[in-house]
Amino acid sequence: MDELKEVMITNDEIRTDEYLINMGPQHPSTHGVLRLLVQLEGEIVHNVQPHIGYIHSGIEKMAESLSYPQLGHLTDRMDYLSAIQNTEAVALCVENALQVEVPERVKYIRTIMAELSRLASHQLWWCVMGMDMGALTTFFYGLRDREDILDIFEETCGARLTLNYNIPGGVMFDIHPNFQRDVKAFIQKFKTKLPEYERLLSGNVIFTERTKGVAYLTKEDAIAWGVTGPTARASGFACDLRKHRPYSAYDKVQFKEILSDVGDTYTRYQVRMAEMWESISIIEQLIDNIPEGDHAVKMKGVVKLPEGEFYQRVETARGEFGVFIVSDGKKNPYRVKFRSPGFSNLFAINHIAKGWKIADLVAIMSTFDLVIPDIDR
Amino acid sequence: MKAIYNYIKEILQGIWTLLTGMRVTAKYFFTPWKHVTQQYPENRDTLKIADRFRGEVIMPHNENNEHKCTGCGICEINCPNGSIEIITKTLVNEEGKKKRAIDQHIYHLGMCTFCNLCIKACPTGAIVMGQRFEHAVWDRTLLTKVLNQPGSKIMEGVKE
């Protein structure tokens, strides 16, 4: 016993030199080409410095040479898991600038599509979260259910990932005749699969031990760092734009904003799981009530925005996505700025991960749900 | 005593949560016939691709080798990344009237992002999206295609 005590005391006094390691740019848990320069003492993280720009594609600059209808297909490629919401932001921004009122049908379709996209994104997040923590099984279960949503997208939008479905003035195609049937079948099926997710991962002792009480983010810090989306809502920051600044058909549906004031890794996980149930409920409320009408209003061949500055924000699966367009009255925007949720969320990582183990850093990054093209754009 | 009791309880609870998860995986393990993945590429013949799937831009021709393209170039203007090039020629008819017609509708498949804007903009419906998705080739020059077939001409009655 004394021997053990001695070891413990000396352990306390042992100090190793701090050393730097590169996590990424090619690392499975960075979900893309993100490089984290991690300053470690033993296993304990002292400092995390994200280095970005490995897949910078200059989308904001490219947008200056494109017309407004062409802008949408580039935003698909930023946060590719929230492609629908990104194009919706551009479409809403252009419509607001031109003061075009879209038909009710378009609003309903856009909302249903956005929620399907959010479900698909959260499914992928869930399976990757499990995989990051060593549970490879979850990866296959999540992708299996995501496949059903992608099939629905393929049937109605004509693509699986880069959809370019929301265009200024409406949507690209009217919904497929089978759309409502397929969505209902999917919801029915997914309602039995979601409890399976919970059984598989949420209660798992290894998972909870690694996530519960780890890496807290307080509400004040979430606001200070500009964190949005489920990550911030897990800290108690009510920032759901669907609730507070309703756009499209969100003012016609009843849903809860999932809030928690704990703010650890496990809560960030739970908020997203609960959001999936809310998305299901939103789709169920809308799917039978899609009004008749046109799927798009006729826009001019060349869309010219009036001179001025226009901003529109939407809630993507990761947080607040904003489009800021400066127009000088020509057919191309003078300047476009995208406020991507991933960028702001990522830079809170140093604040959160400080003092925790490097293995926790992997879990923290998973709960941030990073999509690198969204950060680099 | 209490500590030991809690310790054992925690271990048993932990094992129980693991078994709960394994029950889910076991269900799928013992009923594989219900959850078979697609046998691609063996199932190519029976593969169903959605009608709207955007695989490539194609120009349908009828049995007389006629298409609907007038060579107006609207698709070229609407393309965000320059995948379409229109080369026109001038035709002179019997009455001596000059008329613009398509010479080559060049489509760079390698640059296309399948955004559907060209198809949406086409005033005559001359180009549509095809469902073929297996585009791998050995040489990238093969990705540059001429959509109008050699010797084809415009359909009767199609106006700009």
Side-chain angles (χ1 to χ4, degrees), chain A residues 111-131:
Chain A
T111 311
I112 294 171
M113 284 296 180
E115 289 311 311
L116 281 175
S117 168
R118 191 183 315 277
L119 273 179
S121 173
H122 281 354
Q123 282 166 350
L124 190 76
W125 157 81
W126 177 80
C127 60
V128 172
M129 169 123 197
M131 197 178 68

PDB file of all heavy atoms in Angstrom, chain A residues 111-131:
ATOM      1  N   THR A 111     -40.219  22.742 -46.863  1.00  0.00           N
ATOM      2  CA  THR A 111     -40.088  22.378 -45.456  1.00  0.00           C
ATOM      3  C   THR A 111     -39.948  20.878 -45.287  1.00  0.00           C
ATOM      4  O   THR A 111     -39.105  20.407 -44.521  1.00  0.00           O
ATOM      5  CB  THR A 111     -41.318  22.879 -44.673  1.00  0.00           C
ATOM      6  OG1 THR A 111     -41.532  24.238 -45.014  1.00  0.00           O
ATOM      7  CG2 THR A 111     -41.107  22.766 -43.193  1.00  0.00           C
ATOM      8  N   ILE A 112     -40.756  20.124 -46.027  1.00  0.00           N
ATOM      9  CA  ILE A 112     -40.663  18.663 -45.920  1.00  0.00           C
ATOM     10  C   ILE A 112     -39.278  18.192 -46.361  1.00  0.00           C
ATOM     11  O   ILE A 112     -38.629  17.374 -45.705  1.00  0.00           O
ATOM     12  CB  ILE A 112     -41.763  17.989 -46.760  1.00  0.00           C
ATOM     13  CG1 ILE A 112     -43.135  18.306 -46.178  1.00  0.00           C
ATOM     14  CG2 ILE A 112     -41.557  16.490 -46.803  1.00  0.00           C
ATOM     15  CD1 ILE A 112     -44.268  17.873 -47.060  1.00  0.00           C
ATOM     16  N   MET A 113     -38.815  18.759 -47.480  1.00  0.00           N
ATOM     17  CA  MET A 113     -37.505  18.364 -47.999  1.00  0.00           C
ATOM     18  C   MET A 113     -36.402  18.718 -47.008  1.00  0.00           C
ATOM     19  O   MET A 113     -35.471  17.946 -46.789  1.00  0.00           O
ATOM     20  CB  MET A 113     -37.231  19.073 -49.329  1.00  0.00           C
ATOM     21  CG  MET A 113     -37.984  18.489 -50.480  1.00  0.00           C
ATOM     22  SD  MET A 113     -37.446  16.811 -50.778  1.00  0.00           S
ATOM     23  CE  MET A 113     -38.460  16.384 -52.147  1.00  0.00           C
ATOM     24  N   ALA A 114     -36.521  19.906 -46.387  1.00  0.00           N
ATOM     25  CA  ALA A 114     -35.495  20.322 -45.433  1.00  0.00           C
ATOM     26  C   ALA A 114     -35.461  19.389 -44.234  1.00  0.00           C
ATOM     27  O   ALA A 114     -34.387  19.040 -43.742  1.00  0.00           O
ATOM     28  CB  ALA A 114     -35.757  21.759 -44.972  1.00  0.00           C
ATOM     29  N   GLU A 115     -36.636  18.955 -43.789  1.00  0.00           N
ATOM     30  CA  GLU A 115     -36.656  18.056 -42.634  1.00  0.00           C
ATOM     31  C   GLU A 115     -36.144  16.668 -42.992  1.00  0.00           C
ATOM     32  O   GLU A 115     -35.471  16.021 -42.198  1.00  0.00           O
ATOM     33  CB  GLU A 115     -38.072  17.975 -42.046  1.00  0.00           C
ATOM     34  CG  GLU A 115     -38.517  19.228 -41.331  1.00  0.00           C
ATOM     35  CD  GLU A 115     -37.486  19.746 -40.328  1.00  0.00           C
ATOM     36  OE1 GLU A 115     -36.984  18.968 -39.510  1.00  0.00           O
ATOM     37  OE2 GLU A 115     -37.171  20.945 -40.386  1.00  0.00           O
ATOM     38  N   LEU A 116     -36.469  16.218 -44.219  1.00  0.00           N
ATOM     39  CA  LEU A 116     -35.909  14.931 -44.665  1.00  0.00           C
ATOM     40  C   LEU A 116     -34.389  15.018 -44.714  1.00  0.00           C
ATOM     41  O   LEU A 116     -33.677  14.098 -44.320  1.00  0.00           O
ATOM     42  CB  LEU A 116     -36.458  14.561 -46.047  1.00  0.00           C
ATOM     43  CG  LEU A 116     -37.859  13.972 -46.110  1.00  0.00           C
ATOM     44  CD1 LEU A 116     -38.264  13.785 -47.551  1.00  0.00           C
ATOM     45  CD2 LEU A 116     -37.934  12.646 -45.397  1.00  0.00           C
ATOM     46  N   SER A 117     -33.918  16.154 -45.203  1.00  0.00           N
ATOM     47  CA  SER A 117     -32.485  16.346 -45.302  1.00  0.00           C
ATOM     48  C   SER A 117     -31.842  16.390 -43.916  1.00  0.00           C
ATOM     49  O   SER A 117     -30.748  15.863 -43.702  1.00  0.00           O
ATOM     50  CB  SER A 117     -32.223  17.640 -46.063  1.00  0.00           C
ATOM     51  OG  SER A 117     -30.906  18.012 -45.968  1.00  0.00           O
ATOM     52  N   ARG A 118     -32.554  17.017 -42.965  1.00  0.00           N
ATOM     53  CA  ARG A 118     -32.032  17.069 -41.593  1.00  0.00           C
ATOM     54  C   ARG A 118     -31.965  15.663 -40.993  1.00  0.00           C
ATOM     55  O   ARG A 118     -30.999  15.305 -40.326  1.00  0.00           O
ATOM     56  CB  ARG A 118     -32.940  17.957 -40.740  1.00  0.00           C
ATOM     57  CG  ARG A 118     -32.371  18.315 -39.385  1.00  0.00           C
ATOM     58  CD  ARG A 118     -33.358  19.122 -38.580  1.00  0.00           C
ATOM     59  NE  ARG A 118     -33.982  20.175 -39.344  1.00  0.00           N
ATOM     60  CZ  ARG A 118     -33.423  21.361 -39.551  1.00  0.00           C
ATOM     61  NH1 ARG A 118     -32.291  21.646 -39.011  1.00  0.00           N
ATOM     62  NH2 ARG A 118     -34.031  22.263 -40.293  1.00  0.00           N
ATOM     63  N   LEU A 119     -33.007  14.871 -41.278  1.00  0.00           N
ATOM     64  CA  LEU A 119     -32.995  13.482 -40.797  1.00  0.00           C
ATOM     65  C   LEU A 119     -31.804  12.728 -41.386  1.00  0.00           C
ATOM     66  O   LEU A 119     -31.082  12.039 -40.663  1.00  0.00           O
ATOM     67  CB  LEU A 119     -34.288  12.777 -41.204  1.00  0.00           C
ATOM     68  CG  LEU A 119     -35.494  12.894 -40.281  1.00  0.00           C
ATOM     69  CD1 LEU A 119     -36.657  12.159 -40.890  1.00  0.00           C
ATOM     70  CD2 LEU A 119     -35.185  12.301 -38.927  1.00  0.00           C
ATOM     71  N   ALA A 120     -31.600  12.877 -42.698  1.00  0.00           N
ATOM     72  CA  ALA A 120     -30.502  12.170 -43.354  1.00  0.00           C
ATOM     73  C   ALA A 120     -29.162  12.600 -42.763  1.00  0.00           C
ATOM     74  O   ALA A 120     -28.272  11.777 -42.549  1.00  0.00           O
ATOM     75  CB  ALA A 120     -30.537  12.429 -44.861  1.00  0.00           C
ATOM     76  N   SER A 121     -29.060  13.905 -42.494  1.00  0.00           N
ATOM     77  CA  SER A 121     -27.813  14.420 -41.939  1.00  0.00           C
ATOM     78  C   SER A 121     -27.572  13.883 -40.536  1.00  0.00           C
ATOM     79  O   SER A 121     -26.456  13.480 -40.192  1.00  0.00           O
ATOM     80  CB  SER A 121     -27.877  15.941 -41.921  1.00  0.00           C
ATOM     81  OG  SER A 121     -26.775  16.468 -41.255  1.00  0.00           O
ATOM     82  N   HIS A 122     -28.627  13.870 -39.735  1.00  0.00           N
ATOM     83  CA  HIS A 122     -28.468  13.376 -38.365  1.00  0.00           C
ATOM     84  C   HIS A 122     -28.204  11.869 -38.342  1.00  0.00           C
ATOM     85  O   HIS A 122     -27.500  11.375 -37.469  1.00  0.00           O
ATOM     86  CB  HIS A 122     -29.711  13.700 -37.535  1.00  0.00           C
ATOM     87  CG  HIS A 122     -29.750  15.128 -37.065  1.00  0.00           C
ATOM     88  ND1 HIS A 122     -28.703  15.985 -37.262  1.00  0.00           N
ATOM     89  CD2 HIS A 122     -30.680  15.837 -36.401  1.00  0.00           C
ATOM     90  CE1 HIS A 122     -29.000  17.168 -36.731  1.00  0.00           C
ATOM     91  NE2 HIS A 122     -30.210  17.099 -36.213  1.00  0.00           N
ATOM     92  N   GLN A 123     -28.802  11.148 -39.301  1.00  0.00           N
ATOM     93  CA  GLN A 123     -28.517   9.715 -39.375  1.00  0.00           C
ATOM     94  C   GLN A 123     -27.045   9.488 -39.661  1.00  0.00           C
ATOM     95  O   GLN A 123     -26.387   8.660 -39.030  1.00  0.00           O
ATOM     96  CB  GLN A 123     -29.351   9.062 -40.478  1.00  0.00           C
ATOM     97  CG  GLN A 123     -30.781   8.812 -40.080  1.00  0.00           C
ATOM     98  CD  GLN A 123     -31.636   8.502 -41.278  1.00  0.00           C
ATOM     99  OE1 GLN A 123     -31.210   8.639 -42.408  1.00  0.00           O
ATOM    100  NE2 GLN A 123     -32.851   8.082 -41.024  1.00  0.00           N
ATOM    101  N   LEU A 124     -26.509  10.257 -40.616  1.00  0.00           N
ATOM    102  CA  LEU A 124     -25.098  10.103 -40.943  1.00  0.00           C
ATOM    103  C   LEU A 124     -24.240  10.518 -39.749  1.00  0.00           C
ATOM    104  O   LEU A 124     -23.250   9.872 -39.438  1.00  0.00           O
ATOM    105  CB  LEU A 124     -24.731  10.937 -42.168  1.00  0.00           C
ATOM    106  CG  LEU A 124     -23.341  10.640 -42.689  1.00  0.00           C
ATOM    107  CD1 LEU A 124     -23.316   9.337 -43.427  1.00  0.00           C
ATOM    108  CD2 LEU A 124     -22.825  11.724 -43.579  1.00  0.00           C
ATOM    109  N   TRP A 125     -24.648  11.591 -39.075  1.00  0.00           N
ATOM    110  CA  TRP A 125     -23.901  12.022 -37.885  1.00  0.00           C
ATOM    111  C   TRP A 125     -23.892  10.928 -36.827  1.00  0.00           C
ATOM    112  O   TRP A 125     -22.862  10.638 -36.233  1.00  0.00           O
ATOM    113  CB  TRP A 125     -24.530  13.295 -37.303  1.00  0.00           C
ATOM    114  CG  TRP A 125     -24.200  13.454 -35.868  1.00  0.00           C
ATOM    115  CD1 TRP A 125     -23.036  13.947 -35.367  1.00  0.00           C
ATOM    116  CD2 TRP A 125     -24.994  13.042 -34.757  1.00  0.00           C
ATOM    117  NE1 TRP A 125     -23.073  13.876 -34.004  1.00  0.00           N
ATOM    118  CE2 TRP A 125     -24.257  13.315 -33.602  1.00  0.00           C
ATOM    119  CE3 TRP A 125     -26.254  12.471 -34.636  1.00  0.00           C
ATOM    120  CZ2 TRP A 125     -24.740  13.046 -32.328  1.00  0.00           C
ATOM    121  CZ3 TRP A 125     -26.739  12.190 -33.376  1.00  0.00           C
ATOM    122  CH2 TRP A 125     -25.983  12.481 -32.241  1.00  0.00           C
ATOM    123  N   TRP A 126     -25.057  10.293 -36.634  1.00  0.00           N
ATOM    124  CA  TRP A 126     -25.149   9.258 -35.607  1.00  0.00           C
ATOM    125  C   TRP A 126     -24.226   8.095 -35.927  1.00  0.00           C
ATOM    126  O   TRP A 126     -23.498   7.612 -35.058  1.00  0.00           O
ATOM    127  CB  TRP A 126     -26.596   8.763 -35.482  1.00  0.00           C
ATOM    128  CG  TRP A 126     -26.755   7.654 -34.500  1.00  0.00           C
ATOM    129  CD1 TRP A 126     -26.838   7.783 -33.161  1.00  0.00           C
ATOM    130  CD2 TRP A 126     -26.827   6.266 -34.790  1.00  0.00           C
ATOM    131  NE1 TRP A 126     -26.961   6.550 -32.586  1.00  0.00           N
ATOM    132  CE2 TRP A 126     -26.952   5.597 -33.559  1.00  0.00           C
ATOM    133  CE3 TRP A 126     -26.796   5.509 -35.949  1.00  0.00           C
ATOM    134  CZ2 TRP A 126     -27.058   4.222 -33.465  1.00  0.00           C
ATOM    135  CZ3 TRP A 126     -26.897   4.140 -35.862  1.00  0.00           C
ATOM    136  CH2 TRP A 126     -27.032   3.505 -34.628  1.00  0.00           C
ATOM    137  N   CYS A 127     -24.252   7.647 -37.188  1.00  0.00           N
ATOM    138  CA  CYS A 127     -23.455   6.461 -37.496  1.00  0.00           C
ATOM    139  C   CYS A 127     -21.966   6.785 -37.449  1.00  0.00           C
ATOM    140  O   CYS A 127     -21.166   5.963 -37.022  1.00  0.00           O
ATOM    141  CB  CYS A 127     -23.876   5.822 -38.820  1.00  0.00           C
ATOM    142  SG  CYS A 127     -23.735   6.828 -40.258  1.00  0.00           S
ATOM    143  N   VAL A 128     -21.599   8.025 -37.823  1.00  0.00           N
ATOM    144  CA  VAL A 128     -20.187   8.378 -37.783  1.00  0.00           C
ATOM    145  C   VAL A 128     -19.731   8.593 -36.346  1.00  0.00           C
ATOM    146  O   VAL A 128     -18.600   8.290 -35.990  1.00  0.00           O
ATOM    147  CB  VAL A 128     -19.945   9.615 -38.662  1.00  0.00           C
ATOM    148  CG1 VAL A 128     -18.550  10.123 -38.488  1.00  0.00           C
ATOM    149  CG2 VAL A 128     -20.180   9.270 -40.098  1.00  0.00           C
ATOM    150  N   MET A 129     -20.638   9.101 -35.529  1.00  0.00           N
ATOM    151  CA  MET A 129     -20.306   9.291 -34.112  1.00  0.00           C
ATOM    152  C   MET A 129     -19.964   7.953 -33.467  1.00  0.00           C
ATOM    153  O   MET A 129     -18.977   7.833 -32.738  1.00  0.00           O
ATOM    154  CB  MET A 129     -21.491   9.923 -33.395  1.00  0.00           C
ATOM    155  CG  MET A 129     -21.357   9.928 -31.908  1.00  0.00           C
ATOM    156  SD  MET A 129     -21.476  11.566 -31.270  1.00  0.00           S
ATOM    157  CE  MET A 129     -20.784  11.354 -29.657  1.00  0.00           C
ATOM    158  N   GLY A 130     -20.795   6.944 -33.756  1.00  0.00           N
ATOM    159  CA  GLY A 130     -20.502   5.618 -33.229  1.00  0.00           C
ATOM    160  C   GLY A 130     -19.172   5.096 -33.744  1.00  0.00           C
ATOM    161  O   GLY A 130     -18.360   4.555 -32.991  1.00  0.00           O
ATOM    162  N   MET A 131     -18.936   5.338 -35.034  1.00  0.00           N
ATOM    163  CA  MET A 131     -17.715   4.821 -35.647  1.00  0.00           C
ATOM    164  C   MET A 131     -16.478   5.493 -35.051  1.00  0.00           C
ATOM    165  O   MET A 131     -15.461   4.851 -34.829  1.00  0.00           O
ATOM    166  CB  MET A 131     -17.765   5.044 -37.153  1.00  0.00           C
ATOM    167  CG  MET A 131     -16.760   4.202 -37.896  1.00  0.00           C
ATOM    168  SD  MET A 131     -16.858   4.433 -39.649  1.00  0.00           S
ATOM    169  CE  MET A 131     -16.302   6.093 -39.832  1.00  0.00           C
TER     170      MET A 131
END
